[in-house]
Amino acid sequence: MNAIDLTADGWTHAYSGKVRDLYFETGTADLASAGRVLLVASDRVSAFDHVLSPGIPGKGELLTTLSLWWFDQLEGVPNHLVADHELRGDSVRDLIPDAVAGRAMLARTLDMFPIECVVRGYLVGSGWLEYQKSQTVCGIALPAGLANGDRLPEPIYTPAWKAPMGEHDENISFERTVDLVGRGVAEALRTLSLEVFSRASAIAESRGVILADTKFEFGANRDTGVITLADEVLTSDSSRYWDAATYAAGNRTDSFDKQIVRNWLSANWDQRGVPPSLPPSLPPAIVEQTAARYRELIQRLTGS
């Protein structure tokens, strides 16, 4: 999980998550005082809280491409991107190092809110498991008689608390988000999340793709206080997409993401040992199938 050394290019490694690496400009005291950061998407893939081996070739570039495309589609929604080049004399200088070109975003540093803004348009995954027990999703009551994969009467906002690195995120109520960030910000995050989900869903549906659910992250602009969309957005790592025609034919499990990886691990790895065993290496066929699904989603959405 070692990050690329970019010190020669003027970037200092701040930290690494499961699948991404963050850098600030060398010469800045620390991440907190940095004006802009370099967010690099790696080819690492994670499932069930483990980073797996091998990675998915090209994954970082594919997800970055998709994020940048979605930021372009969401005109009017403030986002964290800043120019990734600058004029030096008569020449233009790229600010993103060659070593991470294509899979990095140059972003404004924000005061991030400790909330994952999850929006669900369909009953699936953990939501379906909860619904079977209590007819609710994250405590929100839903109509009786829904089936796995059904479209919800309207999208629902089900926030989660962003736990410190190494800990599990935790689903929380809307009132808990009020405790964390204040009522005004909490209501703005909910409204903005639902609006962006609605816009993105319409764009995806026009291309024969269903956006079943997603999660957003927001921060406050340090100069203006404006709530700003950050991190990756609407990628196949942060969202669940289905092919509309396949869904209409009755298949509600064939998603454009790493579900192939999860399914293979579930069938080939016993996680219940004490202590739990490490996950096995992914077979080449599973790696390629997963990469193909990432590529297909980009082709379907962007047409390229």
Side-chain angles (χ1 to χ4, degrees), residues 20-174:
R20 281 170 296 169
D21 306 308
L22 189 65
Y23 300 79
F24 60 88
E25 290 178 283
T26 303
T28 305
D30 52 30
L31 182 61
S33 59
R36 56 190 181 183
V37 293
L38 191 67
L39 185 63
V40 178
S42 75
D43 290 345
R44 301 189 296 269
V45 61
S46 69
F48 304 122
D49 289 326
H50 286 270
V51 176
L52 309 175
S53 179
I56 307 298
K59 173 177 175 282
E61 186 168 348
L62 291 169
L63 296 193
T64 300
T65 298
L66 192 54
S67 274
L68 293 173
W69 183 82
W70 273 116
F71 282 128
D72 282 345
Q73 307 311 303
L74 299 171
E75 184 178 357
V77 178
N79 66 63
H80 68 165
L81 296 178
V82 296
D84 58 11
H85 58 275
E86 63 183 8
L87 187 63
R88 288 284 184 89
D90 295 328
S91 62
V92 175
R93 173 177 175 263
D94 289 331
L95 297 175
I96 294 180
D98 290 342
V100 293
R103 56 190 180 95
M105 294 185 289
L106 192 60
R108 175 181 294 105
T109 308
L110 306 172
D111 290 328
M112 298 299 294
F113 300 115
I115 297 169
E116 286 196 337
C117 298
V118 181
V119 181
R120 304 168 189 259
Y122 288 74
L123 184 59
V124 67
S126 61
W128 167 242
L129 296 177
E130 180 184 332
Y131 176 83
Q132 293 176 88
K133 298 176 182 177
S134 59
Q135 206 173 297
T136 63
V137 172
C138 295
I140 299 174
L142 294 176
L146 297 178
N148 188 15
D150 275 357
R151 187 169 190 163
L152 298 175
E154 60 182 9
I156 58 174
Y157 176 68
T158 59
W161 174 66
K162 288 166 57 177
M165 190 178 301
E167 299 181 25
H168 294 285
D169 293 341
E170 174 187 342
N171 291 333
I172 56 177
S173 67
F174 175 74

Side-chain angles (χ1 to χ4, degrees), residues 231-250:
D231 204 68
E232 64 177 344
V233 61
L234 294 159
T235 71
S236 34
D237 264 13
S238 64
S239 315
R240 192 190 316 262
Y241 289 97
W242 293 322
D243 176 89
T246 300
Y247 178 88

Side-chain angles (χ1 to χ4, degrees), residues 117 119 157 188-198 216 218:
C117 298
V119 181
Y157 176 68
L189 291 176
R190 178 174 62 185
T191 298
L192 190 53
S193 296
L194 290 168
E195 288 179 352
V196 173
F197 182 85
S198 177
F216 303 112
F218 294 92

